[in-house]
Amino acid sequence: MKRYPSFLHYFSLRQKMILGFLLVSLTGVFTIALSAHHYYTKATSKDFYTLANGASAGLNNQIDQYLNSMAESTYAMVAGSLQLSGDSLLHIPDSYIIQEWLAGSIERTAQNRLQIENLFKLHITLSYSEIESMVLISNTGEVVSSRGESDAAVYRQQRWQEQPPQPVPTLLQMKQSRLSRIPVVPLVVPIYNTKKVKIVGRLILNVSTTEIRKIMGGTPIGDTGYFFILDPGDHIVYHPDPALVGQSIAESRLSPFSRIRPDSILTVDKVKFLTTYSASDFTGWRIMAVVPLPEMASGLHVARNSIIMVMLFLLAFVFLIVPLLTRALLAPVMKLNKNMREVRRGDLNVTVDVLPSRDEFQMLGNNFAHMLTTLNELIDKVYRFQIREMNLELRQKDATIHALQNQINPHFLYNSLDIIKSIAFLEDVPKIERMVGNLAAFFRYTAKSDRIEVSLRDEIVHLNEYLEIIRIRFNDRHIGKNYIPEKYMDVRLVKLTVQPIVENAVKYAVEATHGEAEIIISAYDAQDDLFIEVVDNGPGIDEERMNLIREQLSASGDDYYESPTPGDKSVGLANVHARLKLQYGTPYGLSVVSFPGRGAAVTVRIPMQKKKNVQANIKM
C-alpha cells in the first residue's frame, strides 16, 4: 500500500475491478467453458448410469434377500417349531397350534388365540424386532393378531376369504401403522398344511421401513443425489425425506420425477438431472436414482489436458497482476475487518484512520469511523437516560406503594382508647375493656408506616385482635377459625393483607346471616408460592357485585389508582390486590370465587419469602 498510494487512491472501485479481474478471469473462463462442456456432459452421464444401475441393482438384491429371509423365518414357526439361531430349534409344547387352528382340529377359543399371539410375540422378540405386528388369517376369514383382538377386528372387516391366496410371499401397498403411526410394508406369507400340502391360510408381517431405510441410507450417490423407491402403485416406499414416505409420487413435490426413464436426462425447474431406475421381480419396487448433472464431476478428467493448457495461460496473468491488485484492493478491507472484529468483541474505542480518497473501500472505512463515533455518543446518552429513568421509576413505585399503604393506615387517637379501657376496667365492664383494648392495638398496627412487609405471624396477631371485636359484637360466637400451619408463619407479605379480606367476609357473610356464618383461614404452598385462603359459608356474592370485583382485579396496580374516581377506593379486595401486584408483580394478588347460597372464597397468592425470626405459636 505504501508503494502505490497516490496512483490507486484516484481510481474508483469499479475501475480497479475492470483493470484487474477482466484481464485475469475472462480469458481463462471462456476458454475452459468452451473446451470442457461437451466432453464433461458426455463422460458424466456415462459414469452415472454405470454407477447408479449397479448400485440400484445391488440395493434391490439386498431388499429382496431381507424380505425373503424374513418370510422364511416364519416357516418353522407355522409348521410347528421355532428357529432361534444356528441349527438349534426351540420346541414348544403348543408349537403346532397354528396348524391345528387353521385346519379346524381345535376350537378357536380365546385361550388358543392368546397362545398364538404369544407365539407371534416370541418370534418378533427373538427374530425380527422390526416386525411391527403379525396377523394370522385363515381361509374362512378367522383372524389372530399379535396386537390383540382390536387389531384383528380391523382385518376381519377386509373379508380376506374373498381374496385368493398367492402361492409365494407377496407385498401389499405400504400403509401407516394404526398403533405406532409409522409406515409399514405388509408382507403376505402363504401357510401350507404340513399334511395335505395345500394353502390353509396366510400370515401378514407388517414390516417397519426402518431396516429398508438403513439399507438405502448406506449407499450415497454424490453430495445431493439420492435414491428413492416406488411401489407398483407409484407410492413412495423410501425417500431421504421421511415426510414423503407413503405419498403418491404424482401428488407430491416429486411429481416431475414420475416421468423417469432408464438412462435419461430430465429437466426440472431449469435444472438437468441424470436419472435411471432398476426394478425388482420379487417386490415389484423400482429403485430410482436421481442426481443433478452439474454435481457429477467424474468426467472432468476427460477435459483435464485442455484445462491444463488454459490454466497455464491463466496462471501467467494471475501471478503477474493479481498480487498487485489484491494488495492494493484488500488492504483497506482487511483493516476495516480487523476494526469491526474489535467492535464485535465490545471494544468501542477502536481507532479508525480517516483518509480522503475516492476508493470505495476507504470511503467505507471513513463512514465506519464516523458511525462508531456517533454510536459511542448515542450509547452514552442512552445509558445516562436509562439510569435516570430507572431511578424515577423506583421512586415512583415506592411512592405509590407508600401511598396505598397510607390509605388504609389512618392514625386514630388510640391513646384515648387506652383511657376508655382503663375506665372500663375500673367500672368492671370486661366486654368494653376487651373491645377497646383490641381496637387500640388494631389502630396502633395500622398506624405504623415504617414497614411495607410484615410476617404472616404479625398479620394473624392483628387479625385475632380484629376478630375479638367481632366476637364481642356477636355475643362471643366463635366466628373465625385459623388452620394456617406453623411452618408458614415466618413468610413475608404486604402489611394488612389478610384482615381486609376477613373484614369483607364479616360484612357480606357474618352480618348478612346475623352471626350464623363462619370464616375459615387456611394456607398451602405450591411451586415456591404461598396461597392463603379465606372461605365463608355465607350467602355468596351476587352476580353484579362479582362482575365489579372481577373488573377491579383485572386492572394492574397502577391502573387501580389512576382511575377517575379515587374517592370510591376502599380498604377492600381491589386495594389489597393492587398492593400485592405492585409489590410482587403480575402473577401475584387475589382471586375470588363465589358459590351462590353456599359462600365465597378469596385466595391470596404471594411468593415464599421468609425472615429468620421464629416466634411463639399463634392460635385463634
Side-chain angles (χ1 to χ4, degrees):
M1 191 68 183
K2 294 181 180 179
R3 187 176 178 181
Y4 307 99
S6 58
F7 174 73
L8 292 178
H9 278 178
Y10 292 101
F11 286 88
S12 67
L13 178 62
R14 182 187 177 195
Q15 292 169 333
K16 295 175 185 177
M17 296 288 290
I18 293 174
L19 177 63
F21 296 120
L22 284 181
L23 292 176
V24 174
S25 302
L26 291 182
T27 303
V29 169
F30 281 109
T31 303
I32 294 173
L34 292 175
S35 62
H37 176 73
H38 175 72
Y39 298 102
Y40 170 76
T41 304
K42 184 177 180 180
T44 296
S45 301
K46 182 178 179 180
D47 289 347
F48 168 76
Y49 297 141
T50 301
L51 172 66
N53 285 326
S56 58
L59 291 171
N60 259 328
N61 185 52
Q62 290 185 54
I63 294 174
D64 290 354
Q65 290 181 359
Y66 168 70
L67 294 175
N68 271 315
S69 65
M70 185 172 293
E72 292 171 359
S73 71
T74 65
Y75 293 165
M77 177 183 65
V78 299
S81 54
L82 179 62
Q83 182 75 36
L84 284 180
S85 61
D87 297 327
S88 63
L89 294 175
L90 174 63
H91 295 284
I92 304 174
D94 299 323
S95 60
Y96 288 91
I97 190 171
I98 294 178
Q99 286 287 327
E100 295 174 352
W101 189 83
L102 292 174
S105 58
I106 62 172
E107 294 183 8
R108 292 169 177 172
T109 63
Q111 180 63 29
N112 291 335
R113 290 177 182 274
L114 181 61
Q115 291 178 3
I116 296 175
E117 290 176 16
N118 291 336
L119 194 61
F120 288 166
K121 293 176 182 178
L122 182 63
H123 178 77
I124 293 173
T125 303
L126 299 180
S127 299
Y128 289 92
S129 60
E130 59 267 29
I131 297 178
E132 193 267 350
S133 64
M134 299 176 68
V135 182
L136 177 66
I137 303 176
S138 70
N139 288 344
T140 59
E142 291 293 325
V143 182
V144 178
S145 171
S146 64
R147 290 292 187 180
E149 182 59 26
S150 61
D151 191 57
V154 176
Y155 283 86
R156 291 194 192 97
Q157 297 173 2
Q158 300 175 6
R159 304 183 66 85
W160 285 84
Q161 67 274 16
E162 299 178 359
Q163 305 174 16
Q166 300 298 319
V168 294
T170 57
L171 289 178
L172 301 181
Q173 181 177 324
M174 186 175 61
K175 63 180 182 178
Q176 290 283 344
S177 170
R178 293 189 311 106
L179 299 176
S180 59
R181 308 306 300 172
I182 62 175
V184 294
V185 178
L187 175 61
V188 183
V189 181
I191 300 178
Y192 287 85
N193 186 291
T194 57
K195 297 179 180 179
K196 299 180 181 181
V197 193
K198 68 175 184 178
I199 298 177
V200 292
R202 60 199 111 189
L203 182 63
I204 300 178
L205 308 178
N206 290 312
V207 183
S208 170
T209 57
T210 304
E211 191 64 25
I212 297 175
R213 177 167 290 276
K214 290 180 181 178
I215 294 174
M216 298 299 298
T219 308
I221 178 169
D223 294 331
T224 60
Y226 57 90
F227 291 99
F228 66 94
I229 302 177
L230 295 180
D231 65 10
D234 284 342
H235 290 86
I236 301 172
V237 178
Y238 163 80
H239 191 275
D241 182 4
L244 295 174
V245 176
Q247 297 184 25
S248 172
I249 189 171
E251 299 175 357
S252 70
R253 59 181 174 85
L254 298 180
S255 57
F257 294 104
S258 61
R259 307 189 303 271
I260 289 179
R261 298 292 180 268
D263 300 345
S264 62
I265 296 178
L266 185 64
T267 302
V268 178
D269 295 333
K270 299 181 180 181
V271 178
K272 291 184 177 181
F273 290 86
L274 298 173
T275 61
T276 189
Y277 70 82
S278 175
S280 168
D281 294 333
F282 172 67
T283 63
W285 293 350
R286 288 170 293 161
I287 297 183
M288 325 292 283
V290 176
V291 67
L293 177 60
E295 183 183 317
M296 297 301 293
S298 61
L300 282 177
H301 68 276
V302 179
R304 181 178 55 190
N305 294 333
S306 61
I307 293 176
I308 291 176
M309 296 300 296
V310 175
M311 288 299 298
L312 291 175
F313 180 74
L314 181 61
L315 287 175
F317 284 91
V318 171
F319 283 114
L320 292 174
I321 298 175
V322 171
L324 301 177
L325 291 176
T326 54
R327 182 179 178 184
L329 288 172
L330 298 181
V333 178
M334 297 302 293
K335 186 174 182 180
L336 178 61
N337 185 46
K338 179 182 178 182
N339 292 332
M340 294 183 74
R341 283 200 303 267
E342 295 297 326
V343 172
R344 185 179 62 181
R345 295 191 186 102
D347 184 9
L348 299 180
N349 297 319
V350 176
T351 302
V352 181
D353 297 331
V354 178
L355 300 175
S357 174
R358 294 177 58 188
D359 185 335
E360 286 82 354
F361 284 144
Q362 187 60 53
M363 292 172 63
L364 183 62
N366 295 343
N367 291 332
F368 177 76
H370 293 305
M371 181 192 72
L372 193 59
T373 301
T374 305
L375 181 62
N376 279 313
E377 293 174 356
L378 289 174
I379 290 176
D380 185 64
K381 291 180 180 179
V382 171
Y383 179 75
R384 291 197 302 269
F385 176 79
Q386 288 180 340
I387 293 296
R388 184 166 59 252
E389 186 177 23
M390 289 175 61
N391 289 332
L392 290 175
E393 288 179 355
L394 289 174
R395 293 176 183 175
Q396 181 180 6
K397 181 177 180 181
D398 187 64
T400 304
I401 293 175
H402 278 289
L404 291 170
Q405 189 73 58
N406 290 333
Q407 178 183 345
I408 62 173
N409 287 339
H411 188 70
F412 290 92
L413 300 177
Y414 44 80
N415 289 332
S416 299
L417 294 175
D418 285 338
I419 296 174
I420 298 174
K421 177 183 177 181
S422 300
I423 295 174
F425 175 77
L426 295 174
E427 296 294 334
D428 194 18
V429 186
K431 285 190 176 182
I432 295 178
E433 179 186 358
R434 286 162 49 201
M435 179 177 288
V436 172
N438 286 314
L439 188 61
F442 178 88
F443 285 132
R444 285 192 182 93
Y445 181 80
T446 58
K448 293 180 181 179
S449 59
D450 56 336
R451 292 180 298 171
I452 295 177
E453 288 186 321
V454 296
S455 67
L456 180 57
R457 191 184 306 278
D458 293 339
E459 277 289 286
I460 297 303
V461 170
H462 172 64
L463 177 62
N464 288 339
E465 294 166 349
Y466 168 76
L467 287 175
E468 181 68 19
I469 298 173
I470 301 303
R471 292 191 186 102
I472 295 173
R473 176 185 174 187
F474 290 99
N475 297 322
D476 288 333
R477 290 182 181 177
H478 197 67
I479 294 172
K481 296 182 180 179
N482 174 23
Y483 294 103
I484 298 180
E486 172 63 26
K487 63 180 180 179
Y488 301 136
M489 287 300 181
D490 292 320
V491 175
R492 309 290 293 176
L493 76 166
V494 175
K495 183 179 178 182
L496 286 177
T497 294
V498 182
Q499 184 273 331
I501 299 174
V502 175
E503 182 178 350
N504 189 77
V506 169
K507 179 178 180 181
Y508 293 101
V510 178
E511 292 182 357
T513 59
H514 306 289
E516 296 298 328
E518 287 188 347
I519 303 171
I520 297 176
I521 302 97
S522 60
Y524 63 92
D525 64 279
Q527 299 179 352
D528 297 328
D529 290 336
L530 179 64
F531 294 83
I532 304 172
E533 288 189 339
V534 179
V535 182
D536 65 71
N537 58 352
I541 305 174
D542 60 69
E543 187 64 24
E544 181 179 356
R545 183 166 172 267
M546 193 67 194
N547 291 333
L548 176 62
I549 292 174
R550 291 193 188 102
E551 180 181 351
Q552 291 178 338
L553 296 186
S554 64
S556 66
D558 293 328
D559 294 340
Y560 176 75
Y561 275 91
E562 290 177 359
S563 67
T565 57
D568 294 339
K569 307 304 176 186
S570 62
V571 185
L573 302 182
N575 181 288
V576 175
H577 181 69
R579 290 188 291 117
L580 292 175
K581 289 181 68 175
L582 284 173
Q583 183 68 16
Y584 304 121
T586 300
Y588 301 101
L590 303 185
S591 60
V592 183
V593 179
S594 175
F595 307 96
R598 293 182 296 162
V602 180
T603 303
V604 181
R605 180 183 178 183
I606 59 174
M608 289 278 286
Q609 304 175 96
K610 290 188 177 182
K611 180 180 179 182
K612 296 181 180 179
N613 183 19
V614 180
Q615 300 180 12
N617 294 348
I618 298 175
K619 299 180 181 179
M620 284 190 176

